[in-house]
Amino acid sequence: MLESIVKIKDKIEKFALKPSFVFVVCLIAFIFHALAWDVAGLLIFAFCGGLFFVFFDDCRPALTVLFFTIFVVSTQNSTGFPPESETNAYFRPDYYLRKSTIIPLVFGGCFLFGCIIFRCIKRRENFLTAKSLVPLAAVSLSLVLSGILSAKQYHYGESLLFALVGVASYLGLYAILSGVTDCLDGLLDFAMTLFSGVTLIISLEIIYVYFLNMLPPFEFLPENWKNCMRSGNFFGSIQCWKPYIVTGCGVSNQSGAMLAFLLPAVFYKIYKTERYVGYELLAILSALSIVLSLSRTAMLVGGPLFIVLSVYVGIKLEKKTTYFIIYGAFIVAALVALAIVTLKYDINIIDYVRPSTGPKLNGRNRYWKMAVEYFKESPIFGVGFAYPCHDPKFISEVGGSFSPFRALYHSFFFQLLGSSGIVGLIAAAYALINIAVRFVREKFEGKFFVFCFLIAFLVASLFDIIYFVPYYVFFAMFIIVVAEKQIYKTKKSDL
């Protein structure tokens, strides 16, 4: 009996190590997402991921399940991005606040976390590669100290809770990923395949948002479905329907920025895969999805990155003919589509991307102005993270529907400047320089693509809040972990 169980386990693990497993998990996650089976999907992914961490020798099957879990969250049950007017409210903000949702998800989350800790203890030698612990600990300490000089005035207790989200996002996730990820042959290729699968599911979920909005609200469907259906009422003003682009795990800006950040993975696979056409088509799909996300940050980061990576890989490829034919066809089709959209619907994407009011960066200047004022008020440790939520001047300046996420400055530089002051800036500079110097100095495969990842994430973080959203930081931390594992393995093989 035990031998039979071991054989079944070995067969499942063997299949889960194939690159195709990434796309199988991608498809399963998308099905749960599209059908709005959030609780069932999240529990299945949590339990499968946990069991894989405990019983499989290889970490890759469990990591595959772990990275796709968040994308199960559906558009229909998302809290969404609150529109300016209550009459336009379209998502059900109570789904993830119900006991029937919270209790099973807490149980599943605790099981998954327990299995991850078990894996970290079992493979504690993996922490030998974690050379970024001290730099990230310095950043974490600066976050914890934010606003401490005038604790009462700056609501330090609330600020500390917010800071701990940052600590968990960077130091916590980095430590966990370092602990569960083994130094394996082919780890980089696995990570690039995994991230390519993630670009596919984000693209599918963006397209699915459009599909939902094109349908009328059928009466037989649940209310949360009907609230996502607008009978194709898109065009008129981009700003009117952009808030409806919610993929479940993120709003339009974060979904688009994530696609831009993950582009290097797809191009790495084009470069390294003999039959690369599928990945080239995925790169094109990702580019189109970035435009469909209507995220200015994603377009401004992803556009140049797409061009640079296309040229770089095109030069490096041995078999270039098919590559350039596909790109030529794509460019022609894209120009035709742009002309049709511009002429028929009077929408100019270029004018949309460019700030409409000069150098004001589509309203972000209001946030940054307040961050500078807070820095002047408390230059050493800043005013913390909670103070803007209580400051009438900040709320008045930002305007619209206010929430803790709207209290973020939409730039990690200005976030540190206003919230953490000089101490935060010094700690972040130390961490960035430490990681950059090590990665430049050391030898490891795919260095160019790793730097493309990190630079794209940093640039996107200058204009959006992905720097403070754990499941986006998760990907940046994994890239650092993968690079460190490769450096360690290279050094060990050179001895």
Side-chain angles (χ1 to χ4, degrees), residues 296 347-356 362:
R296 298 178 180 92
I347 293 175
N348 192 320
I349 294 294
I350 295 175
D351 285 344
Y352 172 72
V353 175
R354 185 175 62 242
S356 57
N362 301 298

Side-chain angles (χ1 to χ4, degrees), residues 40 47 49 53 68-69 106 157 201 217 219 236 244 274-275 277 292 312 319 404 408 428 460 483 485 490:
F47 283 113
F53 273 125
F68 277 105
T69 300
V106 168
I201 196 169
E219 288 303 317
Y244 289 82
E274 187 174 346
R275 296 178 179 177
V277 172
L292 289 175
Y312 178 84
K319 300 177 181 178
L408 295 171
K485 300 290 180 183
T490 301

Side-chain angles (χ1 to χ4, degrees), residues 263 266-267 270 276 279-284 287 306-307 309-311 313-314 317 320-334:
L263 276 176
V266 185
F267 281 94
I270 295 172
Y276 57 75
Y279 285 104
E280 186 176 3
L281 294 175
L282 178 57
I284 291 171
F306 183 84
I307 294 170
L309 289 169
S310 297
V311 173
V313 171
L317 275 178
K320 297 177 168 59
T321 305
T322 303
Y323 180 80
F324 285 113
I325 288 174
I326 291 174
Y327 265 116
F330 165 63
I331 291 169
V332 171

Side-chain angles (χ1 to χ4, degrees), residues 130-439:
K131 304 300 182 183
S132 298
L133 276 174
V134 173
L136 292 174
V139 173
S140 298
L141 180 60
S142 73
L143 297 179
V144 169
L145 294 175
S146 299
I148 197 170
L149 283 184
S150 300
K152 186 175 181 181
Q153 177 186 351
Y154 296 140
H155 303 269
Y156 179 71
E158 294 178 35
S159 179
L160 181 60
L161 293 176
F162 223 120
L164 291 176
V165 173
V167 173
S169 299
Y170 289 89
L171 182 60
L173 290 177
Y174 170 78
I176 284 173
L177 287 168
S178 294
V180 300
T181 306
D182 306 321
C183 289
L184 300 165
D185 291 330
L187 180 61
L188 178 66
D189 189 72
F190 160 73
M192 298 298 118
T193 305
L194 175 60
F195 284 6
S196 296
V198 172
T199 63
L200 176 59
I201 196 169
I202 296 175
S203 298
L204 291 175
E205 290 183 357
I206 289 174
I207 293 168
Y208 185 65
V209 169
Y210 279 76
F211 173 74
L212 280 178
N213 278 269
M214 289 172 66
L215 294 174
F218 302 119
E219 288 303 317
F220 64 87
L221 288 171
E223 197 65 26
N224 57 333
W225 281 71
K226 290 191 286 186
N227 288 336
C228 298
M229 299 174 173
R230 304 174 65 216
S231 303
N233 182 23
F234 286 140
F235 299 102
S237 169
I238 289 181
Q239 295 291 3
C240 289
W241 52 275
K242 184 176 184 291
Y244 289 82
I245 304 173
V246 178
T247 60
C249 68
V251 299
S252 59
N253 287 345
Q254 284 81 64
S255 298
M258 191 67 180
L259 281 175
F261 163 56
L262 293 177
L263 276 176
V266 185
F267 281 94
Y268 175 89
K269 292 299 295 184
I270 295 172
Y271 176 44
K272 289 292 184 178
T273 306
E274 187 174 346
R275 296 178 179 177
Y276 57 75
V277 172
Y279 285 104
E280 186 176 3
L281 294 175
L282 178 57
I284 291 171
L285 176 65
S286 300
L288 292 173
S289 298
I290 286 172
V291 175
L292 289 175
S293 75
L294 299 179
S295 167
R296 298 178 180 92
T297 297
M299 294 180 203
L300 291 172
V301 175
L305 186 61
F306 183 84
I307 294 170
V308 169
L309 289 169
S310 297
V311 173
Y312 178 84
V313 171
I315 293 172
K316 292 284 186 178
L317 275 178
E318 292 183 6
K319 300 177 181 178
K320 297 177 168 59
T321 305
T322 303
Y323 180 80
F324 285 113
I325 288 174
I326 291 174
Y327 265 116
F330 165 63
I331 291 169
V332 171
L335 290 174
V336 171
L338 182 63
I340 292 172
V341 170
T342 302
L343 295 172
K344 185 174 181 179
Y345 298 105
D346 194 28
I347 293 175
N348 192 320
I349 294 294
I350 295 175
D351 285 344
Y352 172 72
V353 175
R354 185 175 62 242
S356 57
T357 52
K360 293 187 177 181
L361 294 166
N362 301 298
R364 284 166 174 77
N365 66 304
R366 295 175 297 175
Y367 289 93
W368 300 351
K369 178 183 174 183
M370 292 301 301
V372 172
E373 289 186 18
Y374 289 150
F375 174 74
K376 292 177 180 177
E377 184 178 326
S378 181
I380 306 301
F381 291 107
V383 300
F385 298 95
Y387 183 58
C389 296
H390 300 276
D391 183 11
K393 184 178 179 181
F394 184 92
I395 297 172
S396 174
E397 187 70 28
V398 171
S401 303
F402 193 77
S403 68
F405 274 108
R406 287 182 70 90
L408 295 171
Y409 299 115
H410 288 68
S411 168
F412 82 90
F413 172 78
F414 285 101
Q415 191 72 57
L416 292 170
L417 185 75
S419 298
S420 304
I422 293 173
V423 172
L425 289 172
I426 292 174
Y430 163 60
L432 289 172
I433 293 171
N434 179 282
I435 293 169
V437 169
R438 279 190 290 117
F439 284 7

